[in-house]
Amino acid sequence: MTNVKKSFPIKGLHCASCIRVTERALKKTPGVTDAVVNLATEKATITYNTDTCTPEQLADAIAKTGYTMEIAEKSEDMQAKEKQNELAMLRTKVIVSLVLGGLILWGSFPGLMTTAPAFLQNFWLQLLLATPVQFWAGAAFYQTAFSAFKHRTSNMDTLVALGTTVAYGYSAFVTFFPTIFMGLGVEIMPYFDVATIVIGLILLGRYIEAKAKAGTSQAITKLIGLQAKTARVLRDGKEIDIPIEQVQVGDVLRVRPGEKIPVDGEILEGTSSIDESMITGESIPVEKQKGDVIVGATFNKHGTFLYTATKVGSETVLSQIIKLVQEAQGSKAPIQRLADTVSSYFVPIVVMLAFATFGIWYLFGPQPAFLYAMLNTVAVLIIACPCAMGLATPTAIMVGTGKGAELGILIKDAQSLELANNITTVVFDKTGTLTNGKPEVTDIIPFVIPAEAGIHKEKILKQVQDDMLRLAASLEKGSEHALADAIVKKAEEEKISLEKVEGFEAIAGKGVSGIIQKQRVLLGNRRLMEMEKISLDVILVNAPPAGGEAHPGSDSGRARMTVDQQIQRLESEGKTVMMLASSLHSRGGGDPGILGVIAVADTVKESAKAGVAALQQMGIAVSMVTGDNKRTADAIAKQVGITQVYADVLPQEKEKIVKKLMTVDSRLRGNDKGLVAFVGDGINDAPALAVADIGIAMGKGTDVAIEAAAITLINKDLRSVAKAITLSKKTMRTIRLNLFWAFGYNIILIPVAMGLLYPFFGILLNPIFASIAMASSSISVVTNSLLLKRYKV
């Protein structure tokens, strides 16, 4: 079985009922495991099995509901052009409808008609003007309503088609058969103005709404606009400019100063300074040289270089970011279930209320009862459009996720954006998260310096340190830990040749071991030494007190610290200490003994302290978890302002700590609804990222699609954790406000349209004003969502 997840545009979506109908049709299609239709993006995101389901079958399922799904892939430019054409046609229909409707209104509305020319008051002319509006401008209402009727469903277009057809049909009947109404004592008064103006105003609302929705997806437009259009490629010994779509993996490209980098790759020749703010949010250019990885769409500030294309098309970092944002904007938040549930019953209920309105007014209303019944029925049908309910959540999600992308915060889906609102505890991994993840060797302290070295002591010390570094780097060359990189890099800097290692073994959470020149060598932490029963309570003879510098002078000046004391001193400085042991230096027997210690320090990120402080100011509890010992962990935690520290934690134990915080600790705080977020580097922290309520991964710039994380910080700025939570809170506040107005609008105005105020105040809602109110509700919801773009987080 091969499951794929793809998005397809759907035409004709206008309300929450449309979403329910199309989602239900897709989910009933064999092979479909999940389908989410988004009103704001007008797209369906479908997960289906390619062995049993095809895009053609999906399109057929949508067609049966009266909508159209496009399965042919189109470029962003082509989609934008089609959208512009649709908007242009809609604008034309709006202008024609409102101009013709305005003329009819002038010639038929009481009071206003006395100022109109006589020919505009002619019923036949009004019929002539109203007909193209009803059946050309309003054709889409009939098409969708008829298709929905065939499949025993209903939607917003059903309400509009019913309401305007009643007004138009009654008016046409009055025009053709006036004597019938004269015989019944009913005033001959057509209502073509109601039908035409209502259609014009609804189309106007859709036009403004479409323009506003385009603003909600502006983040995607900006990201797409970052792409280079062409690339300079070396082919057959010549440099030629080709469209970026034609670049292939393995092509050699040249980039000159002031140009965008076309695709991802690796520098072959030359050096440069590259502005990577598009990916990292860091404004300071990064120096690049041969062998460095570069990212497409970043900006070459200085220097010319050649590089090999390693990722093109949909595989580039920018394409991954665009895909993630699009998927997030097309997903559905849990809070939207309320609107979906209500909308599934809404249209049928409104139709029943409309019939009830007509019956009550016809039986018990004042004369002319039929006219009152008809106009109030039309008002109910028009004002009860569920557009606002359908737009309340997705428009806010679109703006929220787009705003996040602009800030370097990639949010996986709408559910993650909603859940982040309830985070009460944040757990940080240390290495690569709170720290830069690029540790450096700071101390190499041998166990024994020969006393007879005399005046050559410093030279001898350097030789012993080099021997230690040779053994340690030879072992660590087979390891993938960040500390291993620091030791190997130090050996390279010192131009130390490495030894062949046999029987290499990585001991999780403890260290490494191997055979070098027939001697067993160990490098690791206290747990490894304890496991091997190697004592740390021995004195470091002639060992320098700090910094790897020899202590000059006679024996009386020798440092008399034990290995354990030396380790404690280094750890109190925030350094990670590894012990080197070898059977070559054992005292009797074949068991390894301590050779010395190597200290490595990882610098704290500049944004760490401010990021932790921002969370604490929000009332969020902050913890740190690390495999380092407690003394080193406490030193780092103190620098960033964290008091709750979990040290000596093995990689597999991080997940358990997160689970504990998700249960016991949250109840102790008296907040069962509080959620726990784990912030890690997305590699060895994957289990903890996956089990946390919200996993937040520090993006690596070249690998943004971290599946285990709900949120990825591609800007590597720890202040973005608080920003992501703040963005979630503001987005959820916007959604709740949208839903309040959407539901409140219908709860208040439907009874008014039915005539509830008439017995008390003599107030009735004219269908024209009902259409204005309906259009205004949708526009207000979209506009309120757009305000999220102004928030500073």
Side-chain angles (χ1 to χ4, degrees):
M1 291 181 65
T2 305
N3 279 346
V4 297
K5 185 177 183 181
K6 294 188 71 175
S7 293
F8 301 94
I10 296 182
K11 292 187 175 182
L13 299 176
H14 298 300
C15 67
S17 295
C18 305
I19 305 305
R20 177 182 62 86
V21 170
T22 49
E23 278 187 355
R24 187 171 63 181
L26 287 170
K27 289 178 179 178
K28 285 183 177 180
T29 305
V32 174
T33 56
D34 189 35
V36 176
V37 180
N38 189 296
L39 180 59
T41 61
E42 297 179 3
K43 288 184 179 180
T45 302
I46 310 167
T47 305
Y48 63 96
N49 182 359
T50 55
D51 297 332
T52 58
C53 183
T54 64
E56 288 75 16
Q57 290 172 313
L58 297 172
D60 185 56
I62 291 296
K64 290 178 180 178
T65 63
Y67 302 91
T68 304
M69 188 173 87
E70 298 180 347
I71 58 175
E73 292 190 10
K74 298 178 181 178
S75 66
E76 294 291 340
D77 289 341
M78 187 178 295
Q79 291 181 37
K81 189 174 181 180
E82 286 185 358
K83 199 69 179 175
Q84 288 175 354
N85 292 337
E86 290 174 9
L87 282 173
M89 177 56 72
L90 184 56
R91 183 173 62 247
T92 301
K93 289 184 176 182
V94 168
I95 294 171
V96 171
S97 300
L98 292 181
V99 169
L100 296 181
L103 292 173
I104 297 171
L105 183 70
W106 188 16
S108 61
F109 197 79
L112 187 61
M113 62 187 295
T114 57
T115 66
F119 71 91
L120 286 179
Q121 300 178 37
N122 184 281
F123 295 168
W124 290 99
L125 178 64
Q126 292 177 10
L127 173 63
L128 184 65
L129 295 176
T131 300
V133 175
Q134 189 71 38
F135 298 107
W136 172 70
F141 300 127
Y142 286 105
Q143 291 169 357
T144 309
F146 180 68
S147 297
F149 176 75
K150 283 197 306 182
H151 297 90
R152 291 172 293 180
T153 62
S154 56
N155 54 31
M156 167 203 161
D157 289 344
T158 304
L159 301 179
V160 177
L162 278 174
T164 58
T165 301
V166 168
Y168 177 86
Y170 169 79
S171 303
F173 201 80
V174 167
T175 302
F176 279 104
F177 308 105
T179 54
I180 295 176
F181 290 89
M182 291 173 64
L184 295 173
V186 176
E187 182 185 3
I188 303 171
M189 179 59 69
Y191 288 90
F192 290 117
D193 57 335
V194 170
T196 54
I197 294 294
V198 163
I199 289 174
L201 288 172
I202 291 175
L203 292 177
L204 175 63
R206 287 188 178 180
Y207 177 76
I208 297 173
E209 178 188 307
K211 295 284 283 184
K213 283 197 295 186
T216 64
S217 59
Q218 193 175 29
I220 291 290
T221 306
K222 284 183 179 179
L223 288 172
I224 293 170
L226 291 173
Q227 294 175 318
K229 302 299 181 185
T230 61
R232 174 157 290 205
V233 182
L234 273 67
R235 287 184 180 171
D236 300 325
K238 297 180 180 179
E239 293 185 6
I240 58 173
D241 290 329
I242 62 173
I244 191 172
E245 295 81 10
Q246 296 179 14
V247 177
Q248 300 175 4
V249 172
D251 277 344
V252 176
L253 295 83
R254 180 180 296 280
V255 181
R256 294 167 296 187
E259 293 182 340
K260 284 184 180 179
I261 296 170
V263 296
D264 299 1
E266 183 178 315
I267 294 181
L268 287 175
E269 179 185 307
T271 60
S272 184
S273 177
I274 295 176
D275 180 359
E276 295 186 333
S277 58
M278 179 275 293
I279 295 292
T280 65
E282 176 58 56
S283 59
I284 300 175
V286 180
E287 298 299 321
K288 298 283 185 176
Q289 57 187 354
K290 182 179 179 180
D292 287 342
V293 173
I294 54 177
V295 178
T298 53
F299 189 74
N300 183 31
K301 300 281 285 186
H302 308 290
T304 298
F305 60 89
L306 296 176
Y307 79 100
T308 303
T310 56
K311 292 180 180 179
V312 300
S314 62
E315 299 301 317
T316 63
V317 170
L318 181 62
S319 295
Q320 289 183 51
I321 293 172
I322 292 171
K323 181 183 176 184
L324 286 173
V325 176
Q326 286 176 330
E327 288 182 355
Q329 292 186 340
S331 61
K332 187 173 292 189
I335 195 173
Q336 195 171 339
R337 285 194 293 264
L338 175 63
D340 290 345
T341 302
V342 172
S343 65
S344 65
Y345 301 102
F346 190 77
V347 174
I349 290 174
V350 169
V351 173
M352 288 189 287
L353 288 174
F355 280 119
T357 300
F358 185 88
I360 293 171
W361 277 93
Y362 186 72
L363 294 174
F364 305 107
Q367 293 300 321
F370 179 82
L371 290 181
Y372 278 112
M374 182 196 71
L375 291 174
N376 288 327
T377 299
V378 172
V380 170
L381 290 169
I382 297 303
I383 204 164
C385 167
C387 286
M389 282 188 287
L391 291 168
T393 300
T395 51
I397 293 295
M398 282 185 71
V399 178
T401 52
K403 182 72 174 178
E406 291 176 9
L407 296 169
I409 303 168
L410 292 185
I411 300 166
K412 191 174 186 179
D413 50 36
Q415 180 175 351
S416 301
L417 182 62
E418 178 176 339
L419 289 177
N421 171 59
N422 295 318
I423 290 175
T424 55
T425 300
V426 174
V427 183
F428 284 98
D429 174 54
K430 181 182 78 71
T431 305
T433 304
L434 288 171
T435 63
N436 286 303
K438 295 180 180 179
E440 297 180 354
V441 174
T442 57
D443 302 83
I444 302 176
I445 304 177
F447 171 52
V448 175
I449 303 297
E452 63 275 12
I455 61 173
H456 300 294
K457 187 172 184 178
E458 289 187 17
K459 182 178 180 182
I460 298 297
L461 169 64
K462 182 67 168 63
Q463 291 176 354
V464 175
Q465 288 175 328
D466 287 351
D467 286 340
M468 288 179 59
L469 190 56
R470 177 180 292 105
L471 293 174
S474 298
L475 278 178
E476 291 288 29
K477 192 166 186 179
S479 175
E480 297 179 353
H481 198 279
L483 299 180
D485 290 338
I487 292 175
V488 173
K489 184 179 179 181
K490 179 69 173 177
E492 291 174 350
E493 290 174 355
E494 297 292 331
K495 295 181 172 52
I496 295 175
S497 58
L498 304 185
E499 303 284 351
K500 181 181 178 181
V501 179
E502 298 177 350
F504 174 80
E505 181 184 5
I507 306 162
K510 296 183 175 68
V512 292
S513 69
I515 306 298
I516 300 177
Q517 294 183 352
K518 299 182 180 181
Q519 304 295 323
R520 184 164 183 254
V521 182
L522 303 167
L523 180 67
N525 55 25
R526 277 190 175 84
R527 290 192 294 268
L528 180 61
M529 298 301 112
E530 290 170 1
M531 184 179 78
E532 295 290 334
K533 296 182 173 54
I534 297 174
S535 174
L536 302 182
D537 190 24
V538 293
I539 294 175
L540 292 170
V541 181
N542 287 342
E549 297 178 1
H551 193 91
S554 62
D555 290 354
S556 61
R558 296 172 186 172
R560 307 298 297 176
M561 299 175 71
T562 65
V563 174
D564 193 51
Q565 289 171 335
Q566 192 74 275
I567 292 171
Q568 290 180 36
R569 178 187 66 79
L570 293 168
E571 289 176 345
S572 66
E573 298 171 2
K575 299 174 182 178
T576 300
V577 184
M578 291 171 283
M579 287 129 266
L580 183 68
S582 169
S583 58
L584 181 66
H585 294 272
S586 60
R587 295 187 299 274
D591 294 330
I594 287 290
L595 175 60
V597 294
I598 298 177
V600 175
D602 189 4
T603 55
V604 172
K605 285 183 179 176
E606 291 183 9
S607 62
K609 187 172 183 179
V612 170
L615 290 168
Q616 291 170 338
Q617 287 172 6
M618 295 169 66
I620 294 174
V622 182
S623 302
M624 185 183 83
V625 60
T626 177
D628 275 342
N629 63 83
K630 182 135 180 38
R631 194 173 288 106
T632 300
D634 285 343
I636 296 294
K638 185 177 180 181
Q639 290 182 50
V640 298
I642 295 176
T643 55
Q644 180 67 50
V645 179
Y646 298 90
D648 291 307
V649 177
L650 297 174
Q652 62 268 28
E653 291 176 344
K654 292 179 182 178
E655 179 184 357
K656 296 178 182 178
I657 290 173
V658 172
K659 285 182 177 178
K660 175 189 172 187
L661 288 169
M662 290 167 65
T663 53
V664 179
D665 284 12
S666 63
R667 287 200 297 270
L668 288 175
R669 290 196 306 274
N671 187 356
D672 290 332
K673 293 182 180 179
L675 302 183
V676 175
F678 181 84
V679 187
D681 61 12
I683 303 173
N684 62 338
D685 298 322
L689 285 167
V691 77
D693 294 311
I694 295 289
I696 302 177
M698 304 299 294
K700 296 298 179 183
T702 56
D703 183 20
V704 297
I706 301 176
E707 291 298 326
I711 298 173
T712 302
L713 306 180
I714 57 173
N715 58 18
K716 302 180 185 179
D717 188 337
L718 289 172
R719 290 169 294 191
S720 294
V721 177
K723 289 181 179 180
I725 297 172
T726 301
L727 180 62
S728 172
K729 290 181 182 296
K730 289 180 176 178
T731 303
M732 291 308 300
R733 192 180 306 134
T734 299
I735 289 174
R736 293 189 186 100
L737 186 60
N738 284 349
L739 288 173
F740 171 80
W741 286 115
F743 285 121
Y745 156 84
N746 284 290
I747 290 170
I748 294 171
L749 292 184
I750 288 178
V752 173
M754 293 177 70
L756 182 65
L757 299 180
Y758 186 78
F760 307 101
F761 307 103
I763 296 175
L764 288 175
L765 188 62
N766 187 294
I768 292 176
F769 294 114
S771 62
I772 293 174
M774 184 274 290
S776 299
S777 68
S778 299
I779 295 168
S780 65
V781 163
V782 177
T783 304
N784 187 47
S785 297
L786 285 171
L787 291 176
L788 269 172
K789 295 168 72 173
R790 294 188 175 185
Y791 287 145
K792 293 183 180 179
V793 293

